[in-house]
C-alpha cells in the first residue's frame, strides 16, 4: 500500500475509499488504474485488470460488448457519456451501476483515454420500483389501483377508437360485503377480497384490466370486443364465479356482486364519464335486486336528464312567478251570456315563451310537484275570485284538478283553508272542480268520497273530457257530479261524423236523465254552436266563443259573432 505522505499515495487512498468504482483506460482499452472499491465489489482483482490487454477481456461476457460500445461512444463525444449496466458482484447478485465515462486529453489535445465512474444504484432503483408499484397497485390484492386504472382506461379507449372496436367499462360492487367484514373481522374480509380478485381475474381475458378502487369496489375493462353480446358472456361468467361458496374462518359463505356497465362507443363519452355511467348503472343493478348487471342506456339517461331539468325549471318557475292562469269563457248558449270561465294554466317561460299545459304537465304527473302546482292554481284562482267578487263580477269559476292531487292527504281541508286565507270566503259556492272522467274512474270509491266532501263545502264538480272514459251508468250515479263536459274530440267532427253526433246526442240525453248540467267543449264555429243549441246543450266553451285569455281581459269580454263554419 503506498504511503499517504506523498501526493500520489494520498490520492490513491481517496480513490480507493470512494464509494464508487473508478478506473482509467488508455485509448486501446488497457487499464491504467482501477480503485479498490471497484475490484472488491466485482471480485476482479487489480492484478487481473492490469494484466488484461483490454479491460473488457476480464469483464463478464454479458457486459463486454456494451462496455466496448459505450467506450466508442464516449471517445466520439465531448460531453460525459452516461449509461447503466447490470453487473454481477461478489455477493452473488447483479447490481445496477450508473456509469459515467469521461474522455481525457493530453496537453496537445490528443486523446489519452477514458476515466470511468460507476455508482451502485441498485437499492435506489429497487426503492423507486417499489414506490412506483405502491403508487399504481392495490397493496392487498396486487391488481392496479385507481391511478393505474386511469392510464389503462385512457390507453384502452385510444386503442378502441383507433381500431373502431368495442369495449366495456364495468363497475363491480360486492353485495353485502360490510356485514361479512363486521361479522368475521377485517382479516377475513381481506381474505375474501383477495379470493374475489382472483376469481375476477380468472373470469376475464389476459388483455382485460381488473382494478380495485378500494373497499369492495372493482372496475373491469373488457377490451377488444366484437359485439356487445360478447361482453354479456363475460359478465355472466363474472357473476357466476363470484357467487360460488368461499371458505372463511371455518364457515362457508357466498357473496354476490352488482355490476354496472358502460359500453363504448354506444356510450360515446370520455373516460371519466364512462366510469361515472358505469357507477350509475351499478346502482340500478343494486336497486333491481343485486347479483346482476345493468347496462347503462345513453338514450334513457338523456331522457331522464332532460326530464329532471324540466322539473327543476318548473320548480324554479313556480318560485319566480312564471305561471299564470288564463280564463276561457263559458256561455249560456241560448242567450250568449257569460256564465263562467275555466282557469287554464300557462307558463310564461323566460326563453320559450308562453307554454301550454301539454308541454309541462306530463312531466309532473303523480309527483309532489304536481300537487304544488295544483295548490298554486287553487290559490291563484281564489285570489281571482275575490277580486272579481269585489268588482261585482260574479261568474262560476272552474279549475282543473288532477286525480293525484285530489287524492293527496288533506286536499279538502287545504281547499277550505285556501278559500279562507286567499279569498277571505267561507262559502265555496260558484267554484267548480273539473276532474278527468278517465281519472275519476280509476279509483271510483275514493274519488266519489272526495267529491262528496268537496260538495259539502259548496264546490261543484264536472267530469272533464267526458265520453273518453267509458263511464257506466252505475258509475255515473255513484259519482256525485253536477256537470258533464263533452270532450271536444266528439264536438269537433259531429257535423260530419254520425258516430260522434250520436255520442254528443247521447251524452246530452244522459245528462238530462241524471239531472246534470252539460257543457260542450271545442265549440269552434257558428254551425257547431247552432247544432249544439238545437240538441239542447246548455253551455258552450270553445275558440269560436272565446279563447283562453289573461284575467284582466275577461271582465270586458263580450261574445263576438262567429264565422258560420
Ligand atoms: P281541458 O280541461 O279539457 O281544457 C280545455 C282545453 O281545450 C284547453 O287547452 C283549451 O285551451 C282548449 N280549447 C278550448 N276551446 C277549444 C277549441 O275550440 N278548440 C280546440 N282545439 N281546443 C280548445 P289547454 O289550455 O291547452 O289545456 C289542456 C289541458 O290541460 C286541459 O284540458 C286540462 O286537462 C289540462 N290543464 C289545463 N290547466 C290545468 C290546470 O291548472 N291543472 C290541471 N291539473 N290540468 C290543467
Ligand atoms: Mg277542463
Ligand atoms: Mg276537456
Amino acid at each position: 500500500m503506498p504511503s499517504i505522505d506523498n501526493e500520489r499515495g494520498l490520492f490513491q487512498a481517496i480513490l480507493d475509499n470512494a464509494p464508487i468504482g473508478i478506473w482509467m483506460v488508455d485509448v486501446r482499452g488497457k487499464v491504467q488504474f482501477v480503485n479498490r472499491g471497484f475490484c472488491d465489489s466485482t471480485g476482479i482483482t487489480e492484478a487481473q485488470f492490469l494484466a488484461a490487454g483490454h479491460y473488457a477481456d476480464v469483464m463478464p461476457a454479458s457486459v463486454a460488448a456494451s462496455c466496448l460500445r459505450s467506450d466508442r461512444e464516449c471517445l466520439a463525444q465531448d460531453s460525459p457519456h452516461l449509461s447503466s449496466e447490470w453487473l454481477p458482484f461478489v455477493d452473488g447478485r447483479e447490481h445496477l451501476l450508473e456509469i459515467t465515462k469521461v474522455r481525457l486529453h493530453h496537453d496537445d489535445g490528443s486523446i489519452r483515454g477514458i476515466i470511468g465512474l460507476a455508482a451502485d444504484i441498485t437499492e435506489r432503483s429497487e426503492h423507486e420500483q417499489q414506490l412506483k408499484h405502491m403508487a399504481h397497485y392495490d397493496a392487498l390484492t396486487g391488481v392496479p389501483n385507481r391511478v393505474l386504472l386511469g392510464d389503462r382506461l385512457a390507453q384502452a379507449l385510444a386503442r378502441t377508437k383507433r381500431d373502431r372496436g368495442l369495449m366495456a367499462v364495468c363497475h363491480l360492487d360486492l353485495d353485502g360485503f360490510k356485514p361479512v367484514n363486521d361479522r368475521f373481522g377485517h382479516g377475513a374480509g381481506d381474505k375474501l377480497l383477495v379470493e374475489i380478485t382472483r376469481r375476477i381475474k380468472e373470469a376475464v381475458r389476459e388483455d382485460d384490466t381488473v382494478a380495485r378502487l378500494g373497499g369492495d369496489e372493482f372496475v373491469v375493462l373488457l377490451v377488444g370486443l366484437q359485439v356487445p353480446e360478447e361482453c354479456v358472456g363475460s359478465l355472466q361468467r363474472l357473476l357466476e364465479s363470484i357467487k360460488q361458496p368461499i371458505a372463511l374462518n371455518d364457515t362457508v359463505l357466498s357473496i354476490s356482486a352488482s355490476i354496472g356497465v358502460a359500453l363504448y362507443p354506444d356510450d360515446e363519452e370520455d373516460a371519466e364519464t364512462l366510469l361515472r355511467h358505469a357507477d350509475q348503472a351499478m346502482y340500478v343493478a343494486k336497486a333491481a335486486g343485486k347479483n346482476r348487471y345493468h347496462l347503462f342506456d345513453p338514450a334513457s339517461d338523456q331522457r331522464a336528464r332532460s326530464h329532471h331539468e324540466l322539473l327543476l325549471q318548473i320548480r324554479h318557475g313556480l318560485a319566480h312567478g312564471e305561471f299564470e292562469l288564463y280564463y276561457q269563457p263559458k256561455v249560456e248558449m241560448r242567450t250568449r251570456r257569460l256564465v263562467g270561465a275555466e282557469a287554464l294554466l300557462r307558463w310564461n317561460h323566460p326563453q320559450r315563451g308562453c307554454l301550454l299545459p301539454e308541454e309541462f304537465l306530463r312531466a309532473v304527473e303523480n309527483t309532489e310537484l304536481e300537487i304544488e302546482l295544483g295548490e298554486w292554481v287553487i290559490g291563484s284562482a281564489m285570489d281571482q275570485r275575490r277580486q272579481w267578487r269585489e268588482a261585482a263580477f260574479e261568474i262560476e269559476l272552474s279549475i282543473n284538478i288532477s286525480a293525484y292531487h285530489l287524492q293527496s292527504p288533506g286536499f279538502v281541508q287545504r281547499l277550505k283553508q285556501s278559500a279562507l286565507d286567499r279569498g277571505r270566503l267561507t262559502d265555496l259556492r260558484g267554484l267548480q272542480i273539473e276532474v278527468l272522467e278517465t281519472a275519476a274512474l280509476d279509483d271510483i270509491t275514493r274519488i266519489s268520497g272526495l267529491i262528496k266532501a268537496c260538495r259539502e263545502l259548496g264546490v261543484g264538480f264536472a267530469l272533464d273530457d267526458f265520453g273518453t272514459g267509458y263511464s257506466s251508468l252505475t258509475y255515473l250515479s255513484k259519482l256525485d257530479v253536477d256537470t258533464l263536459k263533452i270532450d271536444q274530440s266528439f264536438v269537433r267532427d259531429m257535423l260530419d261524423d254520425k258516430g260522434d253526433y250520436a255520442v254528443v246526442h247521447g251524452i246530452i240525453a244522459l245528462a238530462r236523465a241524471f239531472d246534470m248540467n252539460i257543457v260542450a267543449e271545442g265549440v269552434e264555429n257558428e254551425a257547431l254552436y247552432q247544432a249544439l243549441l238545437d240538441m239542447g246543450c246548455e253551455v258552450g266553451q270553445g275558440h269560436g266563443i272565446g279563447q283562453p285569455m289573461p284575467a284582466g281581459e275577461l271582465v270586458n269580454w263580450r261574445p263576438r259573432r262567429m264565422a258560420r263554419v
Side-chain angles (χ1 to χ4, degrees):
M1 170 152 315
S3 161
I4 59 161
D5 290 335
N6 63 54
E7 224 167 68
R8 183 180 149 73
L10 184 63
F11 279 121
Q12 177 82 41
I14 293 172
L15 296 175
D16 278 345
N17 289 291
I20 54 171
I22 305 172
W23 66 90
M24 196 205 141
V25 295
D26 66 15
V27 280
R28 292 184 313 278
K30 180 143 182 66
V31 176
Q32 313 269 289
F33 168 82
V34 61
N35 77 338
R36 198 170 61 217
F38 194 57
C39 295
D40 290 352
S41 315
T42 56
I44 307 168
T45 64
E46 185 183 14
Q48 282 173 309
F49 271 124
L50 294 176
H54 192 289
Y55 79 97
D57 298 344
V58 292
M59 297 298 284
S62 58
V63 294
S66 64
C67 286
L68 292 174
R69 184 174 358 104
S70 66
D71 283 351
R72 268 198 311 277
E73 286 167 2
C74 173
L75 290 173
Q77 73 188 46
D78 293 332
S79 54
H81 180 274
L82 302 174
S83 62
S84 50
E85 205 73 66
W86 285 96
L87 206 65
F89 269 27
V90 282
D91 62 8
R93 292 176 54 205
E94 293 224 315
H95 284 235
L96 181 62
L97 301 181
E98 188 178 66
I99 299 172
T100 309
K101 290 182 177 177
V102 183
R103 198 172 67 185
L104 269 191
H105 295 259
H106 287 291
D107 288 346
D108 65 4
S110 60
I111 296 173
R112 168 149 187 219
I114 295 172
I115 295 182
L117 307 161
D120 186 349
I121 57 162
T122 318
E123 235 176 78
R124 194 180 85 200
S125 131
E126 278 172 0
H127 194 60
E128 275 170 10
Q129 286 295 328
Q130 219 175 344
L131 284 179
K132 212 165 155 186
H133 195 271
M134 273 163 60
H136 289 99
Y137 289 86
D138 174 48
L140 176 65
T141 61
V143 295
N145 63 10
R146 195 186 288 272
V147 177
L148 186 53
L149 170 69
D151 289 353
R152 295 271 178 95
L153 180 51
Q155 282 168 17
L157 265 178
R159 202 172 323 127
T160 307
K161 244 180 233 174
R162 196 191 55 214
D163 301 347
R164 295 178 195 279
L166 198 69
M167 66 172 283
V169 179
C170 315
H171 191 126
L172 186 152
D173 188 288
L174 297 180
D175 303 324
F177 174 69
K178 195 175 172 301
V180 173
N181 227 4
D182 292 347
R183 188 163 147 225
F184 297 96
H186 286 263
D190 284 357
K191 254 166 73 183
L192 182 120
L193 288 172
V194 170
E195 171 59 13
I196 294 291
T197 309
R198 192 189 64 75
R199 293 181 186 185
I200 299 175
K201 279 167 71 177
E202 209 177 66
V204 301
R205 286 191 295 216
E206 193 72 27
D207 288 347
D208 298 335
T209 293
V210 177
R212 179 171 172 235
L213 300 184
D216 58 348
E217 285 180 70
F218 296 84
V219 166
V220 181
L221 305 180
L222 304 172
V223 296
L225 304 172
Q226 306 292 327
V227 286
E229 291 71 35
E230 222 178 311
C231 147
V232 170
S234 300
L235 293 168
Q236 275 160 349
R237 251 195 335 274
L238 270 174
L239 289 172
E240 190 56 35
S241 148
I242 289 171
K243 75 171 188 219
Q244 296 307 311
I246 297 179
L248 262 195
N249 296 4
D250 308 327
T251 34
V252 175
L253 57 89
S254 54
I255 197 159
S256 61
S258 299
I259 312 178
V261 186
L263 258 184
Y264 181 89
D266 290 16
D267 185 17
E268 197 160 12
E269 294 287 355
D270 59 14
E272 203 183 313
T273 314
L274 285 169
L275 281 171
R276 203 179 62 239
H277 286 171
D279 182 51
Q280 235 169 287
M282 186 273 290
Y283 281 102
V284 179
K286 288 254 187 220
K290 304 177 178 166
N291 184 30
R292 69 194 61 220
Y293 66 85
H294 179 82
L295 246 105
F296 177 83
D297 177 2
S300 81
D301 181 63
Q302 185 51 45
R303 278 197 300 277
R305 257 185 303 168
S306 38
H307 179 243
H308 182 71
E309 177 65 22
L310 181 58
L311 290 185
L312 284 179
Q313 283 190 15
I314 294 174
R315 201 172 280 288
H316 179 271
L318 198 52
H320 290 81
E322 290 170 13
F323 286 93
E324 182 179 357
L325 286 181
Y326 272 38
Y327 294 88
Q328 185 174 34
K330 282 192 259 182
V331 298
E332 185 183 48
M333 301 201 77
R334 206 170 39 79
T335 58
R336 294 192 191 253
R337 195 172 56 90
L338 178 70
V339 287
E342 176 177 10
L344 294 163
L345 192 54
R346 296 293 180 265
W347 181 9
N348 296 312
H349 192 282
Q351 282 89 39
R352 296 165 61 197
C354 181
L355 302 183
L356 295 173
E358 65 189 26
E359 303 207 52
F360 56 88
L361 275 189
R362 273 193 76 84
V364 299
E365 224 166 65
N366 300 337
T367 67
E368 194 53 37
L369 195 50
E370 179 170 54
I371 297 177
E372 283 174 42
L373 209 51
E375 289 289 318
W376 179 87
V377 169
I378 293 177
S380 178
M382 293 292 183
D383 284 343
Q384 198 53 59
R385 206 161 82 95
R386 194 195 69 222
Q387 281 181 30
W388 280 341
R389 234 180 219 201
E390 284 167 4
F393 182 65
E394 301 262 356
I395 52 166
E396 187 183 61
L397 179 54
S398 307
I399 53 177
N400 294 282
I401 297 294
S402 78
Y404 184 73
H405 183 194
L406 188 61
Q407 295 180 78
S408 63
F411 175 82
V412 181
Q413 190 51 37
R414 267 179 288 136
L415 181 68
K416 202 162 139 188
Q417 199 57 45
S418 186
L420 274 174
D421 295 348
R422 316 277 303 253
R424 287 188 240 119
L425 303 167
T426 45
D427 159 26
L428 284 172
R429 241 174 291 259
L431 183 73
Q432 186 181 59
I433 289 180
E434 296 190 5
V435 58
L436 292 175
E437 181 202 8
T438 41
L441 294 181
D442 258 3
D443 188 349
I444 190 119
T445 326
R446 279 202 64 191
I447 298 274
S448 67
L450 284 158
I451 291 179
K452 253 193 195 76
C454 289
R455 287 195 61 138
E456 277 163 20
L457 302 174
V459 180
F461 260 88
L463 281 185
D464 205 349
D465 296 359
F466 192 81
T468 57
Y470 317 106
S471 285
S472 75
L473 295 182
T474 332
Y475 281 176
L476 209 53
S477 64
K478 263 195 196 155
L479 286 171
D480 191 12
V481 299
D482 45 84
T483 304
L484 298 183
K485 288 190 82 174
I486 312 172
D487 189 60
Q488 50 179 285
S489 63
F490 302 114
V491 175
R492 193 187 308 132
D493 301 326
M494 68 178 212
L495 296 181
D496 305 316
D497 185 319
K498 279 198 181 122
D500 285 352
Y501 186 89
V503 171
V504 174
H505 197 76
I507 295 175
I508 293 172
L510 196 66
R512 269 214 198 104
F514 280 88
D515 197 21
M516 291 173 180
N517 303 319
I518 192 89
V519 179
E521 295 181 343
V523 184
E524 293 190 347
N525 54 54
E526 188 64 31
L528 282 175
Y529 190 102
Q530 284 304 330
L532 285 162
L533 186 60
D534 293 346
M535 287 162 94
C537 178
E538 296 143 359
V539 176
Q541 175 185 349
H543 289 168
I545 298 168
Q547 302 269 355
M549 62 191 89
E553 292 178 20
L554 190 71
V555 185
N556 302 315
W557 178 82
R558 297 286 172 273
R560 57 189 161 81
R561 291 233 55 90
M562 270 179 259
R564 278 219 54 86
V565 175

